[in-house]
Amino acid sequence: MFSKACEYGIRAAIYIGQQSTDSGRRVGLKDIAAEIGSPEAFTAKVLQQLVREQLITSVKGPTGGFELTAEQLRTVTLRQIVVAIDGGAMLQGCALGLPQCSARQPCPMHYQFLPIRDQLNELLRTHTIGELASKVHDGLGFLKQFG
Amino acid sequence: MFSKACEYGIRAAIYIGQQSTDSGRRVGLKDIAAEIGSPEAFTAKVLQQLVREQLITSVKGPTGGFELTAEQLRTVTLRQIVVAIDGGAMLQGCALGLPQCSARQPCPMHYQFLPIRDQLNELLRTHTIGELASKVHDGLGFLKQFG
DNA sequence: TTGGTAAAGGACAAAAATGTCCGGTATTTG
DNA sequence: CAAATACCGGACATTTTTGTCCTTTACCAA
């Protein structure tokens, strides 16, 4: 579905969001990677992308780390994370790979796939990082497998 | 969504199916690649996989080529093609990449993604190659961009 | 101000996906 | 039987994705 980079990015963003909500404290890369079960250096690259897109915030130096501002928690959606990392292809492209699939020259599955992809888009668009973070906080969702 | 290999495999299978339905004639690799707009040698590899899984049929030598038997046209589903080439990961795995995501320890999007993935599975399961081939035959679907 | 800390960024490495090439094998036709 | 045809299979090449390492830059605290 999504690339590894994107999966790490989403899980990391939610974890950072959870810590920002919870205790208002920043989290370091090492912490993040450990808590979401991802390779540290690779996760760093992904987070850099998200910082550049201003979907998360980073601070250098001692007491530094990653955080989500109150506004980011409220407004950044899953969709923005996905688009920032994987681009829009998966959310718009043809399921059978036709470069210009549309009603004018639809692939044989075009009209069957449309509603599903619309639902997926809607799903990503309507869920904010803050919302998902609070779900993790309440123990209703996990970012890593335990026990 | 699907890998390039899978996209080519689906388009090729539908094209072969269309020719089998239409004129009962076999089609060669060159013909297939030209008609669906795919790299010839790479498409050959993909078709070999489908032949091994007995989702399509091949015949060597002069007058040889690829075809779909009446039974294959009737029974082979899009899902079988996808599983043969991409495996089941995309149809079953967690959207956020958790190795054991389930109701016991769900990722924060688990219950939101479930219905969408179920619909996707259902879609692939209920469409046969023969059905899609006839859609192409009737000009209601395309396997390549023209004009 | 200075030293330690943590992210940023560049270069590099490994693995997987994509794509190509060519000799081997089976089959049909003359 | 011989020759042409077309898929099969293995090796190889390229590109993208995934992952690592190390130096630089920015920041905070003592």
Side-chain angles (χ1 to χ4, degrees), chain A residues 34-81:
Chain A
E35 288 300 322
I36 71 173
S38 68
E40 200 175 309
F42 188 59
T43 304
K45 297 296 184 191
V46 176
L47 292 181
Q48 279 178 43
Q49 284 186 262
L50 298 183
V51 169
R52 271 194 293 269
E53 301 280 339
Q54 304 183 25
L55 302 178
I56 68 177
T57 304
S58 74
V59 178
K60 289 186 181 179
T63 76
F66 297 90
E67 67 183 339
L68 265 75
T69 65
E71 189 188 349
Q72 285 171 334
L73 277 168
R74 186 164 34 82
T75 62
V76 174
T77 65
L78 214 45
R79 188 169 202 286
Q80 287 177 282
I81 306 267

Side-chain angles (χ1 to χ4, degrees), chain B residues 28-29 45 48 52 58 60-62 65:
Chain B
L29 176 60
K45 298 295 184 190
Q48 278 177 44
R52 272 195 293 269
S58 73
K60 288 185 182 180

Side-chain angles (χ1 to χ4, degrees), chain B residues 62-127:
Chain B
T63 77
F66 297 91
E67 66 183 340
L68 265 75
T69 66
E71 189 186 350
Q72 285 171 334
L73 277 168
R74 187 165 32 83
T75 63
V76 174
T77 66
L78 214 45
R79 188 171 200 287
Q80 287 177 281
I81 306 266
V82 170
V83 170
I85 300 175
D86 279 355
M90 137 117 239
L91 300 177
Q92 306 184 339
C94 169
L96 267 49
L98 298 191
Q100 297 286 338
C101 182
S102 70
R104 208 173 86 73
Q105 277 190 26
C107 79
M109 290 299 291
H110 184 73
Y111 293 105
Q112 285 76 26
F113 268 111
L114 257 191
I116 292 185
R117 220 186 37 202
D118 285 348
Q119 285 176 58
L120 181 61
N121 267 288
E122 196 61 11
L123 194 62
L124 298 176
R125 204 181 58 73
T126 56
H127 284 78

